[in-house]
Amino acid sequence: MLVNFNKLKNLNIGGNLIEDEGIENIFNFYQNFYYENEEEDLNENKEIRNEDEDENENENNENNKKNNKTILNLEKIYLHNNNLTEKSIENLCEIIKNISYVNLKTNFLGNEIKKLFEKPDLNIRVLNLGNNNISFEGIYNISMFYNNNNNCSIEEIYLDDNKLNKESCVYFKEILENKNCNLKVLSLINCNIKKNLFQIFQGLNKNKSLEKLFLDNNNLFDVDIKKLNENLKKNKNLKEITLNKNNLTSQSVINLKLFFSKFKMIEKVDLNDNNLKEIDAKIIEDEIRKIKENRNENEEENEEEEEKENEEKEEEEFKEGDEGEENKNISNNNINISNNKNVKNESFSNNNNENNNYDDNNDINNDNYNNNDDYNNNNNENNENNEKKDENDVYFDNEEKEESKVE
């Protein structure tokens, strides 16, 4: 039977007691599968390189690494209840570090799980480490992981049935207060964290991501719920708390009511298997129902306000658009006016030039006219002189005639 492992998304081999030897076999299979794919991809790259030369070689190699970064392209792997010990941790880290969902519950990995959190390229989203003999030292390594990584992928972590002590709560507080923490679910069922539990509540004051907190079977009493109310003063994200199998009484219900009055995002509180009366459970149900109704009303009001704001913004944008068009028209008119002014100025200057030319012509004509007057005056003088000459000639002739008569 042939199986296309590239299409395999979920692998469930939990409860098979494969032990450390089984993990080693999976790791070897993973390595062989990886290198076989790598050789095939390299051959393909050689063909591509012959066509496109060496330009695309680096890009292809990077793409190959990305495509083969997870074992068989798995998204989920179940390895719970397999008697795995610290010996498997090295191979296990290479197998699971890039798988989104990892279930390692009920094994014997202990605090060596810290090696997993030493991986800088850890891409697990949901991690179940329940019942693995993890102590406060392992929680310390998780807190260091958050301190040293800006992009922490883990959103859900389950640490149920690990016998943690009061020092663990100090590290949980550090984890929750860390700015890199993006945990949405923290499960601490049956973890013996009764002492110093208030520090976890204090850590939630600065946390902006946690939505679900599971504290079942931790031998909690009414005084612990009172600490919850006293220490958890501000949190806008917490939606669900489970407090099943503890020692809570009607006094805890009073404190929870006070707690509900401060936190309007709560949707679910489980109080099964406690020392409560039926009326207590009814009170909690009614309180949560009221919170949901108020939240729905607030959401509707917010939606209406948002709609009004959007309408006002649209009207303002529309007005701004009209004003912009008017300004454009005004600016266009100004441009036309300025153009007309320029045209008028040009025509005026042309007219002035024409007038100047006309004046110049008049000056020339006047000069010519004056020259003609001078010429005419000269002619008149010449005529007068000629007339005088003629008179003299006549006179001279008369004298000649008289002389001739005498003779």
Side-chain angles (χ1 to χ4, degrees):
M1 180 178 178
L2 296 176
V3 178
N4 189 346
F5 289 105
N6 279 318
K7 294 183 178 181
L8 187 64
K9 299 298 180 182
N10 299 335
L11 179 60
N12 189 341
I13 50 177
N16 282 284
L17 305 178
I18 63 173
E19 299 184 342
D20 299 329
E21 185 179 354
I23 291 298
E24 186 176 357
N25 291 332
I26 293 173
F27 177 74
N28 291 332
F29 171 75
Y30 159 65
Q31 291 290 92
N32 293 332
F33 182 84
Y34 176 87
Y35 289 122
E36 285 176 3
N37 283 348
E38 191 177 45
E39 288 178 1
E40 291 178 2
D41 292 329
L42 287 173
N43 292 331
E44 291 178 1
N45 289 338
K46 287 180 181 178
E47 295 177 1
I48 294 172
R49 185 180 60 190
N50 291 332
E51 295 176 0
D52 299 335
E53 300 299 333
D54 293 332
E55 290 181 348
N56 297 327
E57 184 175 4
N58 293 330
E59 294 180 2
N60 290 328
N61 288 334
E62 289 178 1
N63 290 332
N64 290 333
K65 290 179 182 178
K66 290 179 181 179
N67 292 332
N68 291 294
K69 68 180 180 180
T70 61
I71 174 173
L72 314 178
N73 296 319
L74 283 177
E75 295 178 357
K76 294 183 178 182
I77 188 168
Y78 298 83
L79 295 168
H80 56 280
N81 197 18
N82 273 305
N83 287 343
L84 306 181
T85 68
E86 298 172 354
K87 296 178 181 178
S88 300
I89 202 69
E90 291 288 347
N91 293 333
L92 196 60
C93 288
E94 292 300 320
I95 293 171
I96 68 173
K97 67 179 181 180
N98 287 303
I99 299 176
S100 178
Y101 179 97
V102 178
N103 188 343
L104 293 170
K105 185 178 180 179
T106 315
N107 285 290
F108 303 96
L109 299 175
N111 292 321
E112 284 300 306
I113 197 69
K114 67 181 181 181
K115 293 182 179 179
L116 176 62
F117 294 100
E118 291 172 356
K119 298 289 181 182
D121 54 349
L122 188 65
N123 289 310
I124 298 173
R125 191 181 65 83
V126 180
L127 179 60
N128 192 333
L129 294 172
N131 195 17
N132 266 284
N133 295 332
I134 297 173
S135 68
F136 74 94
E137 185 181 347
I139 307 305
Y140 167 77
N141 291 316
I142 296 175
S143 69
M144 293 304 296
F145 169 74
Y146 280 100
N147 286 333
N148 298 328
N149 289 277
N150 294 327
N151 297 316
C152 298
S153 61
I154 299 177
E155 296 179 359
E156 300 180 22
I157 188 165
Y158 298 84
L159 294 163
D160 309 338
D161 302 308
N162 286 294
K163 301 306 176 183
L164 309 177
N165 56 20
K166 62 181 182 180
E167 293 181 6
S168 301
C169 292
V170 176
Y171 299 129
F172 279 125
K173 180 184 177 183
E174 292 180 1
I175 292 170
L176 292 170
E177 290 180 344
N178 195 298
K179 63 180 181 179
N180 298 323
C181 176
N182 61 349
L183 274 179
K184 293 182 179 180
V185 178
L186 176 60
S187 184
L188 300 172
I189 297 172
N190 191 28
C191 285
N192 192 31
I193 55 171
K194 175 178 167 30
K195 295 180 180 179
N196 286 346
L197 180 61
F198 70 93
Q199 294 195 5
I200 293 179
F201 300 149
Q202 289 179 349
L204 286 172
N205 287 321
K206 295 183 179 180
N207 182 272
K208 296 180 180 181
S209 63
L210 196 71
E211 297 178 358
K212 296 180 181 181
L213 178 62
F214 303 144
L215 297 172
D216 305 348
N217 197 20
N218 273 290
N219 199 29
L220 302 180
F221 288 85
D222 294 332
V223 65
D224 299 307
I225 302 304
K226 185 178 179 181
K227 290 179 181 179
L228 167 68
N229 187 42
E230 291 174 350
N231 291 278
L232 184 51
K233 297 180 179 180
K234 55 180 180 179
N235 184 290
K236 296 181 179 180
N237 304 294
L238 195 62
K239 296 180 180 179
E240 182 177 346
I241 300 177
T242 64
L243 297 164
N244 302 315
K245 296 183 179 180
N246 285 293
N247 302 300
L248 308 181
T249 68
S250 298
Q251 185 62 39
S252 292
V253 174
I254 296 172
N255 286 313
L256 285 172
K257 283 184 68 176
L258 294 172
F259 175 76
F260 293 153
S261 65
K262 294 185 292 185
F263 301 99
K264 304 300 183 181
M265 295 303 294
I266 291 291
E267 296 178 354
K268 183 178 180 181
V269 176
D270 283 345
L271 295 168
N272 297 321
D273 297 324
N274 280 284
N275 299 321
L276 300 174
K277 300 176 183 179
E278 290 184 4
I279 188 66
D280 296 327
K282 186 71 168 58
I283 291 172
I284 296 296
E285 289 177 2
D286 291 341
E287 287 295 322
I288 292 176
R289 179 179 53 79
K290 289 178 183 178
I291 290 172
K292 289 182 178 180
E293 289 176 355
N294 292 331
R295 186 168 61 247
N296 291 332
E297 290 177 0
N298 292 331
E299 288 177 357
E300 290 177 359
E301 291 177 358
N302 292 332
E303 287 177 359
E304 290 177 358
E305 289 179 358
E306 287 179 0
E307 288 179 359
K308 288 181 181 179
E309 289 178 358
N310 291 330
E311 289 177 359
E312 290 176 357
K313 286 181 181 180
E314 288 177 359
E315 289 179 359
E316 289 178 358
E317 290 176 356
F318 182 75
K319 289 179 181 179
E320 289 177 358
D322 289 341
E323 290 177 357
E325 290 180 359
E326 289 178 0
N327 291 330
K328 285 182 182 179
N329 293 329
I330 291 170
S331 62
N332 290 331
N333 290 332
N334 290 331
I335 291 169
N336 291 330
I337 290 169
S338 63
N339 288 333
N340 290 330
K341 286 182 179 179
N342 291 330
V343 171
K344 287 181 180 179
N345 290 330
E346 288 177 0
S347 61
F348 179 75
S349 62
N350 290 330
N351 289 331
N352 287 334
N353 291 330
E354 290 178 358
N355 290 329
N356 290 329
N357 292 330
Y358 177 75
D359 292 337
D360 291 339
N361 290 329
N362 286 333
D363 291 338
I364 293 168
N365 290 328
N366 289 329
D367 291 338
N368 291 330
Y369 179 76
N370 291 328
N371 291 329
N372 289 328
D373 289 340
D374 293 338
Y375 179 75
N376 291 328
N377 291 328
N378 291 327
N379 286 333
N380 291 329
E381 289 177 358
N382 291 328
N383 289 330
E384 289 177 357
N385 292 327
N386 289 328
E387 288 177 357
K388 289 180 180 180
K389 184 177 179 181
D390 292 336
E391 289 178 355
N392 291 327
D393 289 339
V394 172
Y395 178 78
F396 181 74
D397 290 339
N398 289 330
E399 286 182 350
E400 285 181 351
K401 287 179 179 180
E402 288 178 356
E403 287 178 0
S404 61
K405 286 180 179 180
V406 171
E407 290 178 359

